[in-house]
Amino acid sequence: LPSGTNTFVSMLQQQVQAMAPWLAEQRAIAVVQTVDVFSPQALADHLHSLDEGFDAVLVMALDHPQVRAAIDDLVARGTEVITLVSDVPNSRRAHFVGIDNVAAGRTAATLLGRFVGRRPGRIGIVLGSRALRDHAERLFGFEQVIATEHAQLTLLPPIEGHDLSERTERLVADLLKREPWLTGLYSIGAGNRGIQAALVASGRAEHVVWVCHELTPHARRALLDGVADAVINQDAGHEVRSACRLALARLS
């Protein structure tokens, strides 16, 4: 799983821990390891280090040639690999467990467009990295709907926050200063604490429509406070349980 302070990743870790008693009944143990997934080299090196001692690897991965090669090497050595949340579809991984991210991006665009209404405006986009497949697919779906159904809205070039709240806060604060007429904001990945802080500090939280992902405690508070307008959620527990069951089925 990614290292750092991503709250949704922490929720995934908690779900793995909650699975421990059930896994023990299946004579299995899950070990959580973290790595900087925004570094293809670091992630690939970490995957290469797992060639002994693990029967299956569940990975939230960057879609990059080095990472694809590392996954393929694991599979070639007999390790089952399942991608979680973010896919590497051209690798030899056995399964992907996650949502339809193109549909999630389309949903985000539909909601944001409905909340903005017919007034013209400029829309900011914040993502972790284009190299994360789930972020790239959400961006594709979002751009598709805005272009076809909300032509009055102008999409600004996406900014990459690497899912870090402090970095994202600085980037969004700069965006708000550069764009005094910013109408909406779509947060594709994590870093929502930073976005909330930047919006509140700017005094424009009531005027900028903000749509984000993952119903973490911080995102829930942003919704209740009226800073966030919509949160698109995925079920961390369901995804972890499905991935573990698939891994065990492949090993039986």
Side-chain angles (χ1 to χ4, degrees):
L1 291 174
S3 55
T5 58
N6 185 327
T7 304
F8 180 69
V9 172
S10 297
M11 292 167 65
L12 290 171
Q13 292 193 43
Q14 292 166 7
Q15 293 298 326
V16 173
Q17 294 168 1
M19 286 284 291
W22 182 82
L23 287 170
E25 293 175 358
Q26 317 305 315
R27 296 182 297 173
I29 298 172
V31 178
V32 177
Q33 299 183 358
T34 60
V35 62
D36 180 7
V37 301
F38 292 100
S39 168
Q41 186 65 59
L43 180 54
D45 288 346
H46 194 93
L47 290 171
H48 283 304
S49 74
L50 302 177
D51 59 351
E52 295 181 3
F54 293 95
D55 300 294
V57 173
L58 281 54
V59 57
M60 188 171 167
L62 200 70
D63 190 7
H64 186 277
Q66 288 177 291
V67 177
R68 288 196 293 271
I71 290 174
D72 290 350
D73 287 345
L74 277 172
V75 174
R77 290 193 290 268
T79 303
E80 299 293 342
V81 177
I82 294 172
T83 51
L84 180 67
V85 178
S86 188
D87 196 15
V88 188
N90 292 323
S91 69
R92 295 177 60 191
R93 56 95 172 115
H95 294 282
F96 164 62
V97 176
I99 63 172
D100 181 336
N101 285 293
V102 175
R106 290 176 181 150
T107 301
T110 299
L111 290 170
L112 189 145
R114 184 173 298 171
F115 292 146
V116 169
R118 296 186 177 182
R119 58 191 170 110
R122 294 162 72 80
I123 308 299
I125 301 171
V126 185
L127 71 165
S129 171
R130 287 180 181 269
L132 285 170
R133 185 83 180 195
D134 57 333
H135 291 196
E137 289 180 345
R138 289 175 189 176
L139 178 61
F140 174 78
F142 185 80
E143 291 175 332
Q144 190 179 53
V145 170
I146 294 294
T148 57
E149 299 180 16
H150 303 285
Q152 82 281 12
L153 300 178
T154 300
L155 297 183
L156 297 170
I159 54 180
E160 297 191 4
H162 289 186
D163 286 350
L164 300 172
S165 291
E166 290 184 4
R167 175 186 171 101
T168 302
E169 182 177 355
R170 291 194 301 271
L171 291 171
V172 173
D174 290 343
L175 176 67
L176 289 164
K177 290 176 183 177
R178 292 196 311 270
E179 299 288 340
W181 304 110
L182 191 74
T183 304
L185 190 62
Y186 176 37
S187 173
I188 291 177
N192 290 331
R193 279 172 287 177
I195 295 176
Q196 181 178 9
L199 283 169
V200 171
S202 73
R204 295 163 61 190
E206 293 183 4
H207 306 290
V208 177
V209 175
W210 175 28
V211 176
C212 59
H213 287 267
E214 318 316 347
L215 192 61
T216 65
H218 304 289
R220 185 185 295 275
R221 175 51 57 187
L223 269 177
L224 293 172
D225 291 344
V227 181
D229 294 274
V231 179
I232 300 167
N233 191 46
Q234 57 184 317
D235 189 331
H238 178 68
E239 290 176 339
V240 167
R241 290 189 295 272
S242 296
C244 288
R245 288 189 180 106
L246 284 167
L248 287 170
R250 298 281 300 185
L251 294 169
S252 62

